Amino acid sequence: MISTYRRHNPLSRYVKDMTDSNLGFRLSWRPYDGKIMLQGDPKDLSFVTAATEVLALELPPVLGSVSRPGLTILGLGPSEWLIVTPEGEEVSLMHCLHGRMAQEICSLIDVSDAYTVVTFTGPRVKEVLSAGCAIDLHARFFPAGKVARTLFARIPAVLHKASDHIYDVYVSRSYADYLLAWVINLKLS
């Protein structure tokens, strides 16, 4: 686990919030959210119970999410979840998970510094996101709480619809600059 004093977000040299009134969207990023990758068997009652006790939330289904103040869990696959916390809280959560799940067959990895989270909001946010991925973002097919792994602007990403007009895009930190450049150069009709 890297010490927080050494953390560097690839987008930190830019203004933390960008608005493009011509395109009708706003872009921002959360530089140091805590992120923990949890893997385990969802059919193992002992594993699920242990995770639920520590997280105070049930694990979401595949491509779904659940949240409470200070914690969001994204269901990335049949046996994989991404737990997102505010900055610095991942360390204590990781200790709690390790302590409670020591006897479980599971994997816990702190991936806080591996991903950058870019948040898109605004009246034309669906158009902006649709220019970058092939997912149908209509509310009927992609409701609030939905998660998808996809290629976004030709890079691997996790797309999470946090609420009706807020989308979080999780990308590898090595692609963060590219994603920002792609958005800045985006032309919508």
Side-chain angles (χ1 to χ4, degrees):
M1 195 172 324
I2 193 164
S3 298
T4 54
Y5 76 91
R6 299 190 61 139
R7 281 187 167 170
H8 168 73
N9 185 290
L11 299 179
S12 62
R13 67 177 177 248
Y14 302 105
V15 177
K16 194 174 171 184
D17 191 337
M18 299 178 140
T19 303
D20 189 324
S21 55
N22 295 331
L23 293 180
F25 76 95
R26 181 174 163 239
L27 176 94
S28 60
W29 46 91
R30 300 188 310 263
Y32 304 113
D33 279 356
K35 299 168 207 76
I36 299 170
M37 192 67 71
L38 170 64
Q39 295 176 326
D41 183 357
K43 295 177 189 154
D44 180 350
L45 186 57
S46 178
F47 162 76
V48 171
T49 301
T52 301
E53 285 176 8
V54 174
L55 300 171
L57 284 171
E58 291 186 16
L59 295 174
V62 176
L63 305 181
S65 69
V66 294
S67 62
R68 63 173 170 77
L71 187 79
T72 299
I73 307 172
L74 308 178
L76 300 182
S79 60
E80 185 175 36
W81 298 268
L82 181 63
I83 304 164
V84 184
T85 71
E87 178 181 353
E89 292 185 21
E90 71 278 6
V91 175
S92 62
L93 181 58
M94 191 76 156
H95 287 301
C96 290
L97 286 166
H98 270 296
R100 177 62 179 89
M101 302 181 85
Q103 303 301 316
E104 306 303 327
I105 299 172
C106 66
S107 171
L108 287 164
I109 305 165
D110 184 341
V111 295
S112 298
D113 295 319
Y115 295 98
T116 297
V117 184
V118 180
T119 301
F120 291 83
T121 60
R124 294 187 69 191
V125 67
K126 287 181 188 174
E127 291 176 67
V128 173
L129 294 174
S130 292
C133 70
I135 294 174
D136 186 346
L137 298 174
H138 189 279
R140 190 172 51 234
F141 303 110
F142 206 80
K146 186 80 171 170
V147 176
R149 281 185 157 165
T150 186
L151 286 179
F152 184 80
R154 299 183 185 169
I155 57 176
V158 173
L159 179 63
H160 174 229
K161 186 174 182 181
S163 67
D164 284 338
H165 301 290
I166 301 173
Y167 293 82
D168 290 329
V169 178
Y170 294 75
V171 296
S172 171
R173 62 179 283 120
S174 60
Y175 290 121
D177 272 331
Y178 168 82
L179 177 62
L180 189 60
W182 179 86
V183 171
I184 289 169
N185 292 309
L186 182 65
K187 306 283 189 252
L188 293 178
S189 57

